[in-house]
Short mmCIF file of all heavy atoms in Angstrom, two decimals:
data_model
loop_
_atom_site.label_atom_id
_atom_site.label_comp_id
_atom_site.label_asym_id
_atom_site.label_seq_id
_atom_site.Cartn_x
_atom_site.Cartn_y
_atom_site.Cartn_z
N ARG A 236 114.50 34.45 114.52
CA ARG A 236 113.61 34.26 113.38
C ARG A 236 112.72 33.03 113.57
O ARG A 236 113.18 31.99 114.06
CB ARG A 236 114.42 34.09 112.08
CG ARG A 236 113.56 34.20 110.83
CD ARG A 236 114.42 34.57 109.62
NE ARG A 236 115.22 33.44 109.18
CZ ARG A 236 114.81 32.55 108.27
NH1 ARG A 236 113.62 32.67 107.71
NH2 ARG A 236 115.59 31.56 107.91
N ILE A 237 111.46 33.17 113.21
CA ILE A 237 110.53 32.03 113.22
C ILE A 237 110.58 31.45 111.82
O ILE A 237 109.98 31.97 110.89
CB ILE A 237 109.11 32.49 113.59
CG1 ILE A 237 109.13 33.22 114.93
CG2 ILE A 237 108.15 31.29 113.64
CD1 ILE A 237 107.90 34.09 115.17
N SER A 238 111.37 30.36 111.67
CA SER A 238 111.67 29.91 110.31
C SER A 238 110.76 28.79 109.85
O SER A 238 110.80 28.42 108.67
CB SER A 238 113.13 29.45 110.25
OG SER A 238 113.34 28.41 111.19
N GLY A 239 109.94 28.25 110.75
CA GLY A 239 109.01 27.20 110.33
C GLY A 239 107.82 27.13 111.26
O GLY A 239 107.98 27.30 112.47
N VAL A 240 106.64 26.92 110.68
CA VAL A 240 105.45 26.70 111.51
C VAL A 240 104.67 25.52 110.93
O VAL A 240 104.61 25.35 109.71
CB VAL A 240 104.52 27.94 111.58
CG1 VAL A 240 105.15 29.07 112.36
CG2 VAL A 240 104.11 28.42 110.20
N GLY A 241 104.09 24.73 111.81
CA GLY A 241 103.25 23.62 111.38
C GLY A 241 102.14 23.39 112.38
O GLY A 241 102.32 23.63 113.58
N THR A 242 100.98 22.97 111.89
CA THR A 242 99.85 22.68 112.77
C THR A 242 99.19 21.39 112.32
O THR A 242 98.88 21.24 111.14
CB THR A 242 98.79 23.80 112.70
OG1 THR A 242 99.43 25.05 112.86
CG2 THR A 242 97.74 23.64 113.79
N GLY A 243 98.98 20.48 113.24
CA GLY A 243 98.29 19.23 112.91
C GLY A 243 97.04 19.08 113.75
O GLY A 243 96.89 19.71 114.79
N THR A 244 96.13 18.23 113.26
CA THR A 244 94.87 17.99 113.99
C THR A 244 94.57 16.49 113.99
O THR A 244 95.12 15.73 113.20
CB THR A 244 93.69 18.71 113.30
OG1 THR A 244 93.61 18.26 111.95
CG2 THR A 244 93.86 20.22 113.32
N ASP A 245 93.69 16.11 114.89
CA ASP A 245 93.17 14.74 114.86
C ASP A 245 91.80 14.69 115.52
O ASP A 245 91.37 15.66 116.15
CB ASP A 245 94.14 13.75 115.52
CG ASP A 245 94.12 12.40 114.81
OD1 ASP A 245 93.07 12.04 114.23
OD2 ASP A 245 95.15 11.70 114.83
N PHE A 246 91.12 13.55 115.35
CA PHE A 246 89.78 13.34 115.93
C PHE A 246 89.77 13.68 117.42
O PHE A 246 90.66 13.26 118.15
CB PHE A 246 89.38 11.87 115.78
CG PHE A 246 89.05 11.45 114.38
CD1 PHE A 246 90.03 10.93 113.55
CD2 PHE A 246 87.75 11.54 113.91
CE1 PHE A 246 89.72 10.52 112.26
CE2 PHE A 246 87.43 11.13 112.63
CZ PHE A 246 88.41 10.62 111.79
N MET A 247 88.73 14.38 117.86
CA MET A 247 88.59 14.66 119.28
C MET A 247 88.49 13.36 120.08
O MET A 247 89.15 13.16 121.08
CB MET A 247 87.34 15.54 119.51
CG MET A 247 86.98 15.74 120.96
SD MET A 247 88.29 16.50 121.92
CE MET A 247 87.58 18.12 122.21
N ARG A 248 87.63 12.45 119.64
CA ARG A 248 87.50 11.17 120.35
C ARG A 248 88.67 10.29 119.96
O ARG A 248 88.81 9.93 118.78
CB ARG A 248 86.18 10.49 119.97
CG ARG A 248 84.97 11.34 120.27
CD ARG A 248 83.68 10.55 120.14
NE ARG A 248 83.47 10.02 118.81
CZ ARG A 248 82.32 10.16 118.13
NH1 ARG A 248 81.30 10.84 118.64
NH2 ARG A 248 82.18 9.61 116.95
N PHE A 249 89.51 9.93 120.93
CA PHE A 249 90.68 9.13 120.56
C PHE A 249 90.27 7.73 120.12
O PHE A 249 91.00 7.05 119.42
CB PHE A 249 91.79 9.16 121.61
CG PHE A 249 91.46 8.62 122.97
CD1 PHE A 249 92.29 7.68 123.58
CD2 PHE A 249 90.38 9.08 123.69
CE1 PHE A 249 92.03 7.20 124.85
CE2 PHE A 249 90.11 8.60 124.97
CZ PHE A 249 90.93 7.66 125.54
N ALA A 250 89.05 7.31 120.49
CA ALA A 250 88.52 6.04 120.00
C ALA A 250 88.32 6.05 118.48
O ALA A 250 88.25 5.00 117.86
CB ALA A 250 87.19 5.74 120.70
N ASP A 251 88.21 7.25 117.90
CA ASP A 251 87.94 7.37 116.45
C ASP A 251 89.20 7.38 115.59
O ASP A 251 89.11 7.40 114.37
CB ASP A 251 87.19 8.69 116.16
CG ASP A 251 85.77 8.69 116.68
OD1 ASP A 251 85.36 7.68 117.28
OD2 ASP A 251 85.07 9.71 116.50
N ARG A 252 90.38 7.43 116.23
CA ARG A 252 91.62 7.57 115.45
C ARG A 252 91.83 6.35 114.57
O ARG A 252 91.57 5.22 114.99
CB ARG A 252 92.82 7.75 116.39
CG ARG A 252 92.63 8.85 117.44
CD ARG A 252 93.18 10.17 117.03
NE ARG A 252 92.71 11.24 117.92
CZ ARG A 252 93.35 11.66 119.01
NH1 ARG A 252 94.49 11.11 119.37
NH2 ARG A 252 92.85 12.63 119.75
N PRO A 253 92.34 6.58 113.36
CA PRO A 253 92.54 5.45 112.44
C PRO A 253 93.68 4.53 112.88
O PRO A 253 94.48 4.87 113.76
CB PRO A 253 92.87 6.14 111.12
CG PRO A 253 93.32 7.51 111.46
CD PRO A 253 92.69 7.87 112.77
N HIS A 254 93.71 3.35 112.28
CA HIS A 254 94.79 2.39 112.52
C HIS A 254 95.38 2.06 111.15
O HIS A 254 95.13 1.00 110.58
CB HIS A 254 94.24 1.14 113.21
CG HIS A 254 93.63 1.44 114.56
ND1 HIS A 254 94.30 1.22 115.74
CD2 HIS A 254 92.45 2.00 114.90
CE1 HIS A 254 93.53 1.61 116.75
NE2 HIS A 254 92.41 2.09 116.27
#
Side-chain angles (χ1 to χ4, degrees):
Chain A
R236 193 158 74 90
I237 304 161
S238 58
V240 291
T242 310
T244 57
D245 215 331
F246 288 91
M247 172 59 109
R248 301 191 300 230
F249 61 129
D251 290 1
R252 309 266 167 92
H254 299 260

